[in-house]
Amino acid sequence: MRRTSRNVARVLQHPGTFAWRVLRAFRANQGFLLASAVAFNTLLSILPLFILMLIALTHVVGEALLLATIERLLALLVPVQAAAIVEELSLFLQHRNVIGWVLVVTLVFFSSLAFTVLENAMSVIFLHRVKTRHRPLAVSLAIPFFYILFLALGILLVSLVSGALEAMGRENIEVLGHLLSLGRVSALLLYLLGVAGEILLLTSIYLVMPVGRLSLRHALIGGITAGLLWEITRRVLVWYFSTLSQVKIVYGSLTTSIVVLLTLEIAAIVLLLGAQVIAEYERFSHERTERPPQPMHT
């Protein structure tokens, strides 16, 4: 406990030094190359992943509410093209009767790609853990499917809560003889729910993906760091694509794919930076025995 307090004090006393240390280690670990791999495989996985969830959850939740919830969640990940992705998902639902076992197996395979690549990227960042601990192959193979189940349950919970909040937003209350709408309160609560879910998801990734047992406190540090950084980045992206970007003129019909891939690339960088923050924080207690990451030469 005392060591943890000393580490926190050191970071707070010299935040710039710690940030530079994180960026230097991220570059040494070829973080941008790892982020590109994660983003590309996430692009391949995102539609199969949500299709699987839709197949399962439409038996429990109404289709319209479910699609609205997914669009709200996607707006936190790919804010500019969330509506386009949901439109593709709704088109798929109209033809879900043609789904066969071969297609289901294909969807499961592609939806698990992003998790496998992300686990490998985490192994590079947490190399000091991989040197001393090894994860059984069966566990690595099972992680993507447990995560798909975890995400499906999360979407179900968010759908139910957001439905209640939207219903609340249509109500009015009387204060000193004046009727006040609860719409703004409902919208604020929905936004806070999305951000809290985002931080919870990031924290769970940092808990599960690295080899070995990670401290909940350390995972939460990474989750909050990445979550706040992504909220800032997401707003900048929305502003950029709505005001300055000429991507539609340059890429034409490929605009949706290019924007989604670019957004996922930036999101992957933020995700791996959060992991690097945790890795460097962990190294505080091993500075005398462990060398910092050395640049990888290709």
Side-chain angles (χ1 to χ4, degrees):
M1 192 69 175
R2 291 180 179 178
R3 180 179 294 176
T4 300
S5 301
R6 288 199 303 267
N7 291 340
V8 172
R10 289 174 61 188
V11 173
L12 294 178
Q13 288 174 2
H14 307 284
T17 302
F18 181 75
W20 174 248
R21 174 173 174 164
V22 169
L23 293 175
R24 187 176 60 182
F26 186 75
R27 183 176 181 275
N29 287 327
Q30 299 286 348
F32 293 105
L33 184 62
L34 296 176
S36 297
V38 172
F40 176 73
N41 284 276
T42 302
L43 180 64
L44 294 178
S45 300
I46 192 168
L47 279 176
L49 177 63
F50 280 104
I51 285 171
L52 283 175
M53 294 178 184
L54 283 171
I55 293 174
L57 294 178
T58 47
H59 295 88
V60 182
V61 184
E63 183 178 313
L65 176 60
L66 188 58
L67 287 174
T69 302
I70 290 178
E71 182 174 0
R72 190 177 297 112
L73 295 175
L74 283 172
L76 297 174
L77 179 61
V78 280
V80 181
Q81 296 297 332
I85 296 176
V86 170
E87 184 178 354
E88 295 297 326
L89 292 175
S90 62
L91 289 175
F92 176 84
L93 284 178
Q94 296 174 13
H95 304 283
R96 56 186 166 185
N97 294 329
V98 301
I99 298 175
W101 284 108
V102 175
L103 180 57
V104 170
V105 172
T106 304
L107 291 173
V108 169
F109 171 75
F110 279 103
S111 63
S112 65
L113 281 178
F115 298 103
T116 303
V117 175
L118 179 58
E119 183 184 12
N120 293 332
M122 291 288 185
S123 297
V124 176
I125 292 177
F126 291 95
L127 186 60
H128 59 287
R129 285 175 162 268
V130 179
K131 289 178 180 178
T132 57
R133 303 176 180 88
H134 298 280
R135 173 173 286 164
L137 178 61
V139 176
S140 295
L141 293 175
I143 284 176
F145 305 109
F146 278 107
Y147 244 99
I148 292 173
L149 177 61
F150 172 75
L151 289 174
L153 292 175
I155 289 177
L156 175 61
L157 178 62
V158 171
S159 299
L160 297 176
V161 174
S162 61
L165 290 176
E166 287 178 352
M168 184 189 75
R170 293 190 289 269
E171 300 293 332
N172 297 316
I173 59 173
E174 184 174 351
V175 179
L176 300 177
H178 299 281
L179 284 177
L180 299 178
S181 173
L182 294 177
R184 291 185 178 180
V185 176
S186 173
L188 176 61
L189 291 176
L190 283 171
Y191 172 74
L192 293 178
L193 175 66
V195 173
E198 177 184 314
I199 292 176
L200 178 62
L201 176 62
L202 290 168
T203 302
S204 69
I205 290 175
Y206 296 140
L207 274 174
V208 175
M209 290 301 176
V211 176
R213 186 177 179 181
L214 193 69
S215 166
L216 177 60
R217 184 185 294 107
H218 290 183
L220 192 58
I221 289 173
I224 293 175
T225 301
L228 295 179
L229 183 58
W230 176 244
E231 277 303 298
I232 297 172
T233 305
R234 184 174 66 87
R235 293 181 179 276
V236 172
L237 285 173
V238 171
W239 170 79
Y240 171 74
F241 284 119
S242 62
T243 57
L244 299 179
S245 176
Q246 300 296 322
V247 66
K248 291 184 179 180
I249 298 175
V250 176
Y251 291 104
S253 60
L254 296 176
T255 297
T256 298
S257 299
I258 296 299
V259 171
V260 171
L261 182 58
L262 176 61
T263 306
L264 291 176
E265 171 91 14
I266 298 172
I269 291 173
V270 172
L271 174 64
L272 296 181
L273 272 175
Q276 194 69 66
V277 167
I278 300 172
E280 293 309 304
Y281 189 81
E282 281 188 337
R283 287 192 177 96
F284 274 172
S285 58
H286 303 286
E287 281 186 333
R288 294 184 179 180
T289 59
E290 186 173 337
R291 298 171 59 191
Q294 302 300 309
M296 291 190 294
H297 299 285
T298 58

